[in-house]
Amino acid sequence: MIINRFAFFAYALSLVAFFACQSVAQEPDVASLVHPDVAERLSLVDTQRAEVQVLLQSRAEALGAPGDKASKEKLKADFAKKILAVLNDEQRAKFNEAQSTKKLMFQFREMKWDDVLDWFATQQDLTLVMDQIPPGTFTYSDTRSYSPSEGIDLLNSVLMTRNFSLVRREKMLVVMALSDSIPLELLPRVKQEELIKRGRFELVSVIFPLGGRPIDAVLQEVKPFLSSYGRAVPLAQGSQLLVVETAGKMLTINEIIASVPLPKAAPQPVPPPPPPPKPVFASYPLGALDAARTLETIRKLIPSEQITVDAKTGVLSAFLIPDQQTAIKSAIDQMIASTTQLPTFESVAYQLTGATADDIKKQILSLAPNATVSATADRVLVIARTEDQMRIKASLAAIDVVPIEGTKEMKVFEMDPAVVVAVEAAFKSFLPKGQIASNSKAGSLIVRGSGEDLRIATEMIEIFKRSQTANQMQLRVLPLEQQADAKWLATLQKLSPNTNAWLVDDGRQLMLLAGTADIAMVESMLPQLIRLLPKPDPRKLQIYTLTKNQVSRRSSLTDLPPSLLGTKVVDGSNKQELMVWATAEQHVDFAKLLDSLDQPAPVSMPTVPKTYPITVQDNALVLQILVAEFPEAKITVDSDGSTLTVLADEVSHTKIATRVTTFNEQLPKKSEITLEPYSVRGMTAAALQLSLAPLLLKARVNLDSVRNRLLVAADAKTHLEISALVTALSEQIRVEQQP
């Protein structure tokens, strides 16, 4: 059968239009009107079909002529208007509706990634931003149509095997190398309800509200599901979680967060504000401490005249609120420990001005790690070596934190002459460091001491004045079976508000100043009150010396097993020491845990780079198999797909070399690509390229407009098909076949 040249050209042009209409979805593709299915769906008559074919041929010839890009785009738009004018209103409406729903088809074979991504960005009317070209080539072909989201998902499913991803940001398509430090501002922030519009492999960031769930529990559940480049970042003090991951995993992460149970919080009534604490009396044995220096040090920490010391008995007494009593006891304990271990230590108190106690403590310990630091609301007491104190003083002076100095005052109290002698005797026992003198005839009492001494004296005189005679008040000392503290003493005074009570002998004795009935009531309640005291801490301190292997694995002791719950682990003075507070049973378990850490550290084998030639057709398949078999190795393919570059140890290199040899022997070989020129007399090179488009999908084409020919690089099979079609186009039409 003789081939009609014009009919054959029209048919070839229709094939080109068919493939073009499957990939361009942003502007009307008028070339698809010559396809029989499209023309039949729009009910085009023969005259309309012929007129469209003539206009398309004229457009192809015009576009083949020399010209810049802008002029050719205008030329395309002008021909599109002329071709659409051939249709009636109903046909144009159907055509525009079909264009709006067109999808993409992927027909690629060994195409470079920059060409593939540039094509995809053009189809979606996006600007391609690519600082680094993904390695290797892209081969994919099927008959399915893809939406834009499905298309980007398909490309990402392959790009992620090469550690790259496509990210859409408004009108930009960004090619991004995957890592665990991708800037968050480069990733699109997507709402949970918008995830369905994104591809499963598209990298996005989503903020999940936690609804009161503990952030540590949420992170523990979410992190195992994150990929190597995924991240989970707490926001807004733990009330939200920012997650960076592929859109396909976000729905699963949302379900994981919802599965974390909310903490049970029983509603509790708001307690009324507590009444201001009442001062209580307590005494502390000083042991080998110097009485005068200890009193001076404690008054620097708490500037009160109600702190006194008896130099003969070595007992410090204080009439203060419970919190201040606790601070005094802690300071004296530390001073005794420091005196026992380091007799050259001295104590200095500093007034806080514009800085918090925690900040000052951190700065002091950074200058003198062996110093002992105690803090109250407005001052800090430091016990350290003399040379350390000089360094601390110079550093704190730079931020206006200076040492505190104490002074003494004198006050005269007027009272009934009959009770002056009894009051003087009581004052000398409660204020041993104060100077007490009396005049029984004049009814006056002179007290000289610190401001705190004068405050205690004032309160004690008020107690005596409230009673009719001094004999109405009795002083009683009761021994305690268990050591008490200031908090326990405050509870006792709430139960007996008319009783003045103090703790002496380091909390082992209770001193009472009250009426006979009040003292009897306290004595009857004492057994029940003793039961309120907390039980002694069963934990004991033990210092462990670590081996070299244990020091290297020190970070693994952050999360201890359940059997060691309540154990406190603190670094010692150097990296080889650990101070551990635990029960006897827990110390046994902790010692076993340290033994398990004392294992030789594994010796890592050095990695070296090597290259391997590959001759197979599908190098992407080879790369995918090797990455799955050798996850520790880093494997890449060059842009030509002919060489593998591998970074691995020698053992892995031996196995990889064997696998590559097997692939080269058993898998299909790569087809040889040759370059051939093609031309048809009377036809422009652009028109010829349009006619040959169905056969050029697997080839690389360059248009030589000077010599009016096509330069095609393809395999032998493709060259045979192209040659047959060019020969058919070159045949002369006989006279009887001409129109």
Side-chain angles (χ1 to χ4, degrees):
M1 178 179 179
I2 300 176
I3 300 176
N4 184 300
R5 180 181 181 184
F6 182 81
F8 184 86
F9 176 78
Y11 175 71
L13 193 62
S14 70
L15 289 177
V16 175
F18 171 73
F19 280 94
C21 76
Q22 301 300 316
S23 60
V24 180
Q26 285 69 35
E27 59 184 18
D29 187 7
V30 294
S32 63
L33 291 172
V34 299
H35 192 271
D37 293 340
V38 178
E40 183 176 355
R41 186 169 62 252
L42 299 180
S43 302
L44 298 183
V45 298
D46 293 341
T47 55
Q48 288 178 310
R49 299 187 185 191
E51 190 172 355
V52 169
Q53 289 179 349
V54 172
L55 289 172
L56 285 174
Q57 184 175 5
S58 300
R59 185 184 74 166
E61 293 176 352
L63 292 176
D68 57 5
K69 184 176 182 180
S71 61
K72 290 188 177 182
E73 293 294 332
K74 185 177 182 302
L75 194 63
K76 289 181 181 180
D78 293 339
F79 271 97
K81 292 180 180 179
K82 293 179 182 180
I83 294 173
L84 291 176
V86 176
L87 310 180
N88 57 36
D89 293 341
E90 182 180 357
Q91 291 170 338
R92 276 194 297 273
K94 290 183 178 180
F95 178 75
N96 290 333
E97 181 181 0
Q99 290 295 310
S100 65
T101 59
K102 285 180 182 175
K103 297 186 177 182
L104 304 171
M105 290 186 67
F106 288 82
Q107 301 286 339
F108 292 100
R109 187 175 182 84
E110 295 185 7
M111 291 292 290
K112 289 185 176 180
W113 276 106
D114 53 346
D115 295 333
V116 174
L117 299 177
D118 184 67
W119 168 85
F120 184 81
T122 302
Q123 307 310 309
Q124 303 304 314
D125 196 20
L126 300 173
T127 300
L128 181 64
V129 179
M130 180 168 56
D131 294 335
Q132 184 179 355
I133 301 175
T137 59
F138 178 62
T139 299
Y140 189 88
S141 175
D142 67 7
T143 58
R144 178 188 170 188
S145 297
Y146 292 85
S147 66
S149 295
E150 293 172 339
I152 199 172
D153 202 33
L154 173 64
L155 293 175
N156 270 332
S157 66
V158 181
L159 282 172
M160 283 188 173
T161 63
R162 293 162 170 78
N163 289 326
F164 282 83
S165 178
L166 294 179
V167 176
R168 286 182 293 178
R169 287 188 59 85
E170 298 177 354
K171 297 296 290 182
M172 293 189 300
L173 183 67
V174 183
V175 182
M176 185 180 300
L178 294 178
S179 68
D180 58 355
S181 59
I182 299 175
L184 295 178
E185 60 271 12
L186 296 182
L187 300 176
R189 184 69 53 80
V190 178
K191 297 180 180 179
Q192 295 185 46
E193 57 269 22
E194 296 174 353
L195 288 172
I196 194 173
K197 300 178 182 178
R198 298 283 178 163
R200 292 186 305 110
F201 295 93
E202 189 172 356
L203 201 60
V204 296
S205 64
V206 177
I207 292 180
F208 295 94
L210 302 184
R213 294 174 175 84
I215 184 62
D216 294 337
V218 173
L219 289 174
Q220 185 177 1
E221 296 295 332
V222 170
K223 283 186 177 180
F225 288 84
L226 298 179
S227 57
S228 59
Y229 45 81
R231 278 184 285 173
V233 183
L235 300 177
Q237 297 181 352
S239 62
Q240 292 178 321
L241 185 67
L242 174 63
V243 179
V244 175
E245 191 49 85
T246 56
K249 286 188 176 182
M250 289 298 185
L251 295 177
T252 302
I253 291 174
N254 185 35
E255 295 177 358
I256 292 173
I257 294 176
S259 66
V260 176
L262 290 168
K264 296 181 180 180
Q268 298 181 355
V270 179
K278 293 183 179 181
V280 296
F281 182 84
S283 61
Y284 309 93
L286 302 182
L289 294 178
D290 181 79
R293 293 188 61 184
T294 302
L295 179 62
E296 181 182 358
T297 299
I298 296 300
R299 283 181 176 174
K300 291 178 182 179
L301 177 63
I302 301 175
S304 174
E305 294 298 323
Q306 295 188 358
I307 305 174
T308 61
V309 68
D310 187 348
K312 295 180 179 179
T313 61
V315 175
L316 184 141
S317 303
F319 186 70
L320 302 170
I321 62 175
D323 288 343
Q324 292 174 326
Q325 297 283 16
T326 302
I328 290 177
K329 184 179 185 304
S330 175
I332 291 178
D333 290 343
Q334 293 172 1
M335 292 171 66
I336 292 175
S338 301
T339 303
T340 302
Q341 299 171 5
L342 301 169
T344 60
F345 273 33
E346 67 177 22
S347 60
V348 179
Y350 296 88
Q351 184 73 41
L352 299 179
T353 55
T356 64
D358 289 339
D359 293 337
I360 296 300
K361 287 176 66 176
K362 290 179 181 178
Q363 184 167 349
I364 292 173
L365 293 175
S366 66
L367 297 171
N370 295 324
T372 301
V373 184
S374 302
T376 60
D378 61 344
R379 60 191 61 204
V380 172
L381 176 66
V382 182
I383 303 173
R385 290 180 180 273
T386 303
E387 56 271 22
D388 290 339
Q389 292 285 16
M390 295 176 60
R391 187 164 57 253
I392 293 170
K393 182 177 180 181
S395 176
L396 296 183
I399 56 175
D400 298 327
V401 178
V402 296
I404 300 170
E405 302 294 340
T407 58
K408 288 192 175 183
E409 302 175 0
M410 184 179 70
K411 189 173 182 179
V412 179
F413 299 94
E414 300 294 336
M415 61 184 62
D416 186 352
V419 298
V420 168
V421 176
V423 173
E424 179 185 6
F427 272 30
K428 287 182 178 180
S429 64
F430 288 114
L431 303 174
K433 293 300 294 182
Q435 296 177 348
I436 314 297
S438 67
N439 187 335
S440 58
K441 295 181 179 181
S444 61
L445 182 71
I446 303 172
V447 179
R448 184 177 184 275
S450 63
E452 193 69 14
D453 285 338
L454 296 181
R455 190 176 71 82
I456 294 176
T458 302
E459 292 183 359
M460 291 185 66
I461 287 178
E462 290 297 326
I463 294 174
F464 277 88
K465 285 183 178 181
R466 284 197 298 266
S467 63
Q468 294 180 356
T469 63
N471 292 331
Q472 290 180 333
M473 306 290 288
Q474 294 185 12
L475 185 63
R476 181 75 59 85
V477 177
L478 302 177
L480 300 178
E481 298 176 359
Q482 187 175 336
Q483 186 178 17
D485 54 14
K487 184 177 179 181
W488 179 85
L489 188 62
T491 302
L492 183 147
Q493 290 210 306
K494 288 181 181 179
L495 298 174
S496 181
N498 296 326
T499 301
N500 298 282
W502 301 271
L503 289 173
V504 296
D505 191 18
D506 197 18
R508 295 290 182 178
Q509 290 182 337
L510 175 65
M511 181 179 292
L512 302 176
L513 178 62
T516 304
D518 291 326
I519 291 178
M521 182 181 66
V522 172
E523 286 181 327
S524 64
M525 294 189 304
L526 197 58
Q528 289 77 17
L529 291 174
I530 292 294
R531 297 191 185 99
L532 298 178
L533 290 172
K535 294 182 179 180
D537 193 345
R539 298 182 301 174
K540 301 297 181 182
L541 173 64
Q542 185 171 337
I543 299 177
Y544 293 86
T545 302
L546 304 181
T547 65
K548 183 177 180 180
N549 290 331
Q550 291 169 347
V551 170
S552 65
R553 300 183 175 101
R554 168 68 178 85
S555 59
S556 63
L557 298 177
T558 304
D559 296 327
L560 296 176
S563 62
L564 295 177
L565 183 64
T567 301
K568 186 175 181 181
V569 181
V570 180
D571 290 327
S573 58
N574 53 58
K575 293 183 178 180
Q576 282 74 36
E577 285 186 354
L578 274 185
M579 295 187 295
V580 180
W581 279 266
T583 63
E585 295 79 6
Q586 289 176 330
H587 275 300
V588 175
D589 293 341
F590 189 82
K592 293 179 180 178
L593 179 61
L594 287 182
D595 291 339
S596 66
L597 297 180
D598 195 14
Q599 302 295 330
V603 180
S604 58
M605 299 182 64
T607 57
V608 295
K610 290 185 180 182
T611 58
Y612 300 91
I614 52 175
T615 60
V616 301
Q617 182 71 24
D618 192 352
N619 50 48
L621 176 61
V622 173
L623 178 62
Q624 183 178 1
I625 295 174
L626 292 178
V627 168
E629 290 184 358
F630 305 95
E632 300 298 328
K634 295 183 178 180
I635 308 174
T636 58
V637 180
D638 65 352
S639 57
D640 294 335
S642 59
T643 304
L644 282 176
T645 301
V646 180
L647 181 63
D649 53 55
E650 290 295 344
V651 175
S652 298
H653 273 300
T654 303
K655 298 178 181 179
I656 291 173
T658 303
R659 295 292 285 153
V660 171
T661 302
T662 303
F663 293 147
N664 289 335
E665 293 175 353
Q666 298 181 0
L667 294 180
K669 301 293 183 181
K670 187 181 299 184
S671 301
E672 183 178 0
I673 304 300
T674 59
L675 181 66
E676 297 290 343
Y678 295 97
S679 61
V680 175
R681 181 177 298 177
M683 181 182 293
T684 64
L688 178 60
Q689 184 179 7
L690 190 62
S691 301
L692 298 177
L695 303 178
L696 299 178
L697 295 177
K698 303 177 182 179
R700 296 182 183 178
V701 182
N702 291 321
L703 191 147
D704 185 0
S705 57
V706 178
R707 298 185 181 181
N708 195 31
R709 63 178 182 173
L710 293 180
L711 300 177
V712 180
D715 54 26
K717 181 180 178 182
T718 303
H719 278 304
L720 289 176
E721 295 174 348
I722 295 175
S723 298
L725 185 54
V726 169
T727 301
L729 293 174
S730 301
E731 291 182 358
Q732 298 293 329
I733 301 177
R734 297 182 182 179
V735 176
E736 64 272 15
Q737 293 178 333
Q738 295 180 357

